[in-house]
Amino acid sequence: MKDQGVEGDLSAEALSRFTGMKTDLISKCLQKEFHLPKTIAELSKDQDLYFDEEVKRRGRLKPMEGLEDFLQRLRAKRLKIALATSSDRVWVRYVLKQLEVTDYFDTVVTGEEAKASKPAPDIFLLAAKRTGSDPCDCVVIEDSANGIRAGKAAGMYVIGFKGSRIWQDTSSADQEVERFAEIEIDRFLKE
């Protein structure tokens, strides 16, 4: 935002409003809220460049604690696993490859494929459709308030994940957890 001429840092609350949204929607909101002179396309391109710089600065990405074990537990139960993210496909492929978890997912739905961004339910409904699942049988694990609203709007059970770096209000989720190990998979299995 400083590069766009906006003074001061965005508060955690301001930043949290955009978490889970598609890049172009974030750009549109920032442009409107801060009266930025750049086009939405220019702001979105800037976001891509900042992402690339951040990735280079951080080096190799590592999975969150317990992620691989959790994915293995899901796979052992023969459950369908979908990733539904508002991020662009290029970013998602890069991150999944870095984390070495690509093969766990039966389908990956990105923001480019959904008609509307979170908090609309489109991305979760598309993920359910691709896995052949009824939305009411799906469990969403979400770390963003927008994602939680989207999962609830899709008619899915939503677990608010509080273990992410960026603070989000997850209180509207059906359940909140701090770690993947807290998620009791058997609780969601049909008899």
Side-chain angles (χ1 to χ4, degrees):
M1 292 306 292
K2 288 178 186 172
D3 288 348
Q4 305 304 322
V6 176
E7 295 297 322
D9 291 330
L10 284 178
S11 67
E13 179 186 342
L15 184 59
S16 72
R17 286 190 325 231
F18 305 119
T19 304
M21 290 181 172
K22 289 173 27 175
T23 303
D24 60 340
L25 184 56
I26 294 169
S27 296
K28 183 178 180 179
C29 292
L30 290 173
Q31 182 193 51
K32 181 179 179 182
E33 185 172 334
F34 295 101
H35 311 290
L36 301 175
K38 287 189 175 183
T39 66
I40 292 169
E42 290 170 329
L43 291 169
S44 295
K45 184 177 178 183
D46 286 349
Q47 285 186 67
D48 289 342
L49 293 173
Y50 289 123
F51 175 80
D52 292 343
E53 286 175 17
E54 182 69 11
V55 166
K56 287 177 189 170
R57 185 183 70 76
R58 288 180 180 263
R60 183 146 183 91
L61 300 175
K62 295 181 179 104
M64 297 175 84
E65 180 184 332
L67 175 64
E68 288 181 271
D69 179 60
F70 178 68
L71 292 171
Q72 289 170 1
R73 288 190 296 138
L74 292 174
R75 192 51 77 213
K77 299 285 184 181
R78 300 187 185 280
L79 296 172
K80 295 286 186 182
I81 307 171
L83 175 62
T85 174
S86 295
S87 296
D88 294 335
R89 183 162 292 280
V90 153
W91 293 8
V92 174
R93 282 186 183 145
Y94 175 81
V95 170
L96 290 176
K97 185 176 178 181
Q98 284 275 307
L99 300 179
E100 299 178 349
V101 295
T102 304
D103 293 340
Y104 286 105
F105 296 96
D106 296 293
T107 190
V108 175
V109 181
T110 64
E112 297 153 306
E113 301 169 84
K115 290 181 182 173
S117 182
K118 297 173 188 176
D122 301 37
I123 202 160
F124 289 124
L125 294 172
L126 183 54
K129 182 178 180 181
R130 285 192 183 168
T131 59
S133 304
D134 189 316
C136 67
D137 293 331
C138 295
V139 177
V140 171
I141 301 169
E142 251 303 339
D143 64 348
S144 75
N146 285 324
I148 290 169
R149 283 194 288 278
K152 299 290 280 178
M156 300 174 178
Y157 185 89
V158 180
I159 298 174
F161 188 79
K162 300 178 76 61
S164 294
R165 278 187 32 217
I166 298 174
W167 178 86
Q168 290 281 291
D169 178 6
T170 59
S171 62
S172 64
D174 297 297
Q175 174 187 356
E176 294 178 292
V177 299
E178 297 276 342
R179 299 179 324 276
F180 289 106
E182 295 175 46
I183 302 171
E184 299 172 21
I185 297 168
D186 290 340
R187 172 182 173 192
F188 303 105
L189 298 176
K190 288 185 173 183
E191 301 283 325

